């Protein structure tokens, strides 16, 4: 058995923490300063983590490699298993041209560009984040807004800012599932606290979006539908994450938010021509006035309805129990680790949910989608393979970062850093979201940031007497605000709207909003750690 040591370097906590931070510093410097590709930075960081775990923290090399292998498996299944299958469904809709029908359908909801921004960037973007994440909402929503006549820069900025509130529960809850896995906290406990933080963002983001689209006039004329949309989204996200399912939180929020927005009497009223002339400065797609058969419109919406239906059925207790029977629990080979207190760590045992995991449910919905859309079996298989090929670098990035996280967690590096960070004491609650924000800003993924810093946050919380669930959730909630400034998302947005090389322009436009909302989240978390907002926590 390998027992983790908190002060293995010269019996000094400070020196040990500095050495333990080398893998993280390596990744952040390679990404932020050297601007190395994320998958290469992740692999180099993993190598550094293995060396530090072996040479400095005394973890046997066999157990160190085994810990990394467990992180790789978790990165592949369930994380990338969800993403691959979700994007496969999207690719089939593009292949059959039903995505174009869906785009035209959204354009007919309202001709007011401010309402269109809410419907597409905020509501539909949240649904895409729920189903896929990893940049898909920014790319797809930006293209749709440009087709409706938005200026490319404005379309990209609106899509980036909108991609905040749903991120923590994106890709079928992957970030919070990962957070629970790496921290050892129950998923329901983590999701419950996150669901009492990110809905606060949903209250203000729609108001920011109409301001971005049309300035003070947009805020003055459309604040009611924006606020109704935000409140409905926030309530649904809170309710789903706290009382139903973290995996369905964003789906419920997106659908309820869109329904509430459309129900507002003024939302579907034609926009004044001066508004349209001032806002829609780009070229409008010529096919927007094309009428689509009702049957084809229904088929265009079918994939997303099917995913919602399949996941809802999977939450019914008898069905959930049946799916759980396929879960395999086994001792992870070549791994026998105890914490500093001598108690075995939870990662010695690995849980593999074969049927109940989100990726398998999306795959099932995708198979039904192929039938509904008339996609031949061979074509569907080729599209799935093409999806894997398209995501090959993302797969390598996620698996390497999670392998790094598992090595750091199991070797004791994260616990050492956590104990050192705990010296921040009362200020720790305020700084906790900043750590998550920084992680997402450089990695582009709330999942990766949770894998990197989740265990560290929990260790620091326990050392300082704060709630582990609160700081773990703060890592994810603060992280969502770094999404809009991450190089990965900025590059995706620029490529989608034909602004290659103008990432700096977008960064300057979204950075103030990212920092402003981060400050709000820091104040919220700090208040939740005291009696001021402590009543918000379960």
């Amino acid at each position: 058995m390998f027992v983790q040591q908190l002060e293995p370097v010269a019996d000094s906590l400070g020196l040990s923490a500095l050495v333990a931070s080398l893998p993280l510093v390596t990744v952040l410097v390679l990404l932020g300063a050297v601007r190395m590709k994320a998958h290469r930075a992740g692999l180099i960081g993993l190598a550094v983590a293995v060396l530090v775990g072996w040479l400095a923290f005394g973890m046997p090399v066999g157990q160190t490699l085994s810990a990394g292998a467990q992180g790789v498996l978790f990165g592949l299944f369930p994380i990338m298993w969800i993403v691959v299958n979700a994007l496969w469904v999207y690719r089939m809709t593009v292949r059959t041209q039903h995505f174009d029908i869906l785009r035209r359908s959204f354009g007919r909801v309202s001709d007011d560009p401010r309402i269109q921004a809410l419907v597409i960037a905020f509501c539909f973007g949240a649904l895409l984040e729920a189903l896929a994440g990893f940049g898909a909402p920014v790319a797809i929503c930006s293209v749709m807004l440009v087709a409706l006549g938005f200026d490319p820069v404005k379309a990209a900025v609106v899509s980036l800012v909108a991609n905040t509130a749903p991120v923590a529960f994106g890709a079928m809850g992957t970030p919070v599932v990962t957070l629970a896995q790496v921290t050892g906290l129950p998923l329901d406990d983590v999701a419950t606290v996150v669901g009492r933080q990110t809905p606060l963002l949903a209250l203000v983001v729609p108001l920011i979006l109409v301001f971005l689209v049309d300035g003070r006039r947009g805020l003055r004329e459309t604040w009611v539908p924006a606020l109704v949309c935000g409140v409905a989204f926030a309530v649904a996200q809170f309710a789903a994450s706290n009382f139903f399912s973290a995996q369905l939180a964003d789906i419920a929020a997106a659908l309820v938010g869109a329904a509430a927005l459309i129900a507002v009497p003024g939302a579907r009223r034609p926009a004044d021509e001066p508004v349209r002339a001032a806002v829609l400065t780009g070229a409008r797609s010529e096919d927007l006035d094309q009428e689509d058969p009702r049957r084809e419109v229904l088929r265009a919406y079918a994939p997303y309805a099917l995913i919602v239906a399949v996941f809802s059925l999977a939450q019914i207790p008898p069905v959930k129990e049946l799916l759980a029977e396929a879960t395999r629990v086994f001792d992870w080979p070549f791994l026998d680790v105890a914490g500093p207190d001598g108690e075995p760590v939870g990662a010695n045992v690995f849980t593999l949910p074969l049927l109940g995991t989100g990726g398998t449910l999306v795959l099932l919905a995708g198979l039904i989608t192929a039938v509904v859309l008339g996609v031949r079996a061979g074509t569907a298989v080729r599209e799935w393979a093409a999806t894997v090929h398209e995501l090959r670098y993302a797969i390598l990035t996620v698996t390497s970062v999670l392998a790094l996280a598992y090595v750091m967690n199991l070797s004791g590096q994260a616990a050492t850093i956590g104990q050192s960070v705990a010296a921040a004491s009362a200020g720790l609650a305020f700084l906790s979201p900043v750590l998550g924000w920084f992680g997402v800003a450089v990695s582009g993924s709330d999942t990766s940031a949770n894998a990197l810093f989740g265990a560290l946050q929990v260790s620091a919380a326990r050392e300082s007497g704060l709630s582990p669930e609160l700081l773990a959730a703060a890592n994810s909630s603060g992280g969502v605000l770094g999404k809009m400034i991450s190089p990965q998302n900025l590059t995706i947005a620029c490529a989608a709207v034909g602004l290659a090389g103008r990432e700096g322009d977008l960064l300057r436009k979204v950075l103030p909003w990212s920092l402003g909302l981060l400050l709000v989240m820091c104040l919220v978390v700090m208040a939740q750690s005291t009696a001021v907002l402590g009543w918000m926590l379960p």
Side-chain angles (χ1 to χ4, degrees):
M1 175 180 285
F2 166 68
V3 181
Q4 297 173 351
Q5 302 297 318
L6 295 177
E7 302 176 357
V9 181
D11 293 326
S12 167
L13 180 62
L15 288 176
S16 299
L18 285 175
V19 173
S21 66
L22 285 176
L24 294 177
V25 172
T26 299
V27 173
L28 298 179
V29 169
L30 291 177
L31 284 174
V34 182
R35 297 187 178 182
M36 182 179 288
K37 296 289 187 182
H39 63 279
R40 293 176 182 170
L43 289 172
I44 294 174
L46 171 59
V48 174
V50 169
L51 290 174
V52 170
W54 173 36
L55 298 176
F57 281 75
M59 190 178 194
V61 65
Q63 294 210 51
T64 305
L65 295 176
S66 179
Q70 186 176 145
V72 169
L73 178 56
F74 185 70
L76 291 173
F77 193 96
I79 293 179
M80 292 311 298
W81 181 236
I82 297 172
V83 178
V84 166
N85 289 324
L87 286 180
W88 171 57
V89 173
Y90 163 69
R91 285 180 66 99
M92 286 194 291
T93 66
V94 173
R95 175 88 180 203
T96 60
Q97 298 184 338
H98 284 90
F99 180 73
D100 291 331
I101 296 173
L102 187 68
R103 174 173 55 84
R104 290 192 289 268
S105 176
F106 282 155
R108 286 190 287 268
V109 169
S110 172
D111 72 345
D112 188 327
R114 300 163 300 191
I115 302 301
Q116 290 173 344
L118 294 176
V119 172
I120 294 173
F122 188 69
C123 297
F124 186 59
L127 184 61
L128 292 173
E129 182 67 37
L131 303 180
F134 293 88
V138 171
I140 295 170
C141 293
S142 296
V143 170
M144 294 179 76
L145 290 175
V146 169
L148 291 172
F150 277 68
D151 172 74
V153 173
K154 185 170 289 187
V157 169
V158 167
S159 298
L160 285 165
V161 174
N163 191 219
T164 48
V167 169
F169 295 104
M172 296 304 177
T174 297
V176 291
V177 169
T178 302
L179 186 61
Q181 181 81 8
V182 300
T183 60
L185 299 173
L187 173 60
D188 289 344
D189 291 356
V190 173
T192 295
V193 180
V194 174
R196 300 177 187 216
Q197 294 172 343
T198 56
L200 299 176
L201 297 175
L203 297 176
V204 297
V205 169
L207 297 170
I208 294 174
L209 295 181
V210 297
F211 178 80
L212 287 171
V213 171
D214 194 28
R216 294 180 179 177
R217 177 179 58 186
L219 195 58
R220 183 176 64 252
E221 295 180 359
T222 56
W223 70 269
V224 172
L227 187 60
V228 169
C229 178
V231 170
F233 187 103
V235 170
Q237 190 182 63
F238 162 75
S241 60
N242 275 260
F243 307 114
F244 189 45
S245 167
Q247 287 86 348
L248 290 176
D250 278 349
I251 293 177
L255 296 177
V256 172
L261 174 61
I262 295 172
V264 176
R268 305 194 66 168
R269 186 173 59 240
D272 296 335
E273 193 55 39
V275 172
R276 292 182 53 79
V279 175
L280 301 181
T281 56
R284 190 168 181 264
S285 179
E286 295 179 357
D287 69 346
L288 287 176
D289 295 325
Q290 177 181 332
E291 288 294 330
D292 297 300
R294 184 175 181 81
R295 178 172 179 270
E296 295 305 315
V297 174
L298 292 175
R299 291 174 74 191
Y301 281 93
Y304 307 102
L306 284 169
I307 291 176
V308 173
V310 169
F311 270 83
S312 298
L313 287 173
Q315 300 306 313
I316 298 174
V319 178
K320 194 172 185 177
E321 292 173 6
L322 182 64
L323 295 175
E325 291 181 4
T327 298
R328 297 290 176 263
V329 180
F330 54 91
D331 292 331
W332 188 257
F334 311 111
L335 196 65
D336 189 10
V337 179
D341 57 0
E343 293 295 322
V345 299
N348 291 329
V349 177
F350 192 78
T351 302
L352 194 65
L354 297 175
L355 296 181
T357 188
T360 303
L361 298 177
V362 174
L363 177 63
L364 174 60
L367 293 173
I368 303 173
T369 294
V371 175
V372 172
L373 299 184
V375 180
R376 294 179 179 273
T379 302
V381 171
R382 285 192 294 273
E383 287 295 333
W384 194 90
T387 304
V388 174
H389 183 265
E390 180 185 341
L391 291 172
R392 61 192 184 282
Y393 293 122
I395 292 172
L396 189 55
T397 299
V398 170
T399 52
S400 61
V401 168
L402 278 160
L404 179 154
Y406 269 65
V407 170
M408 290 190 65
N409 293 342
L410 290 171
S411 65
Q413 296 173 60
T416 296
I417 298 173
Q419 190 172 36
S420 177
V421 171
S425 189
L428 183 59
F430 181 85
L431 295 174
S432 184
V434 178
L435 194 58
W437 174 85
F438 188 64
V440 176
V442 297
S443 70
S445 166
D446 200 38
T447 298
S448 296
N450 286 343
L452 285 171
F453 299 132
L456 185 156
Q457 297 267 24
V458 169
S459 297
R462 286 172 175 155
E463 289 295 326
S464 61
L466 295 171
S467 163
E469 291 80 7
L470 174 62
L471 293 202
N475 192 84
S476 192
S477 299
V480 307
L481 301 170
K483 189 88 168 179
M484 69 178 84
I485 64 168
S486 70
Q488 172 183 309
N489 254 23
L490 291 171
T491 301
I492 288 172
C494 285
V497 298
L499 296 174
R502 295 185 59 184
E503 288 85 356
D505 294 342
L506 293 187
L507 178 61
R508 285 189 289 273
K509 289 182 178 296
V510 299
L511 182 59
W513 297 108
S514 178
L515 292 174
L517 291 172
L518 175 64
L519 176 60
V520 172
M521 184 56 67
C522 289
L523 293 172
V524 167
V525 173
M526 184 175 69
Q528 287 180 331
S529 70
T530 68
V532 177
L533 290 181
W535 53 267
M536 290 182 64
L537 301 181

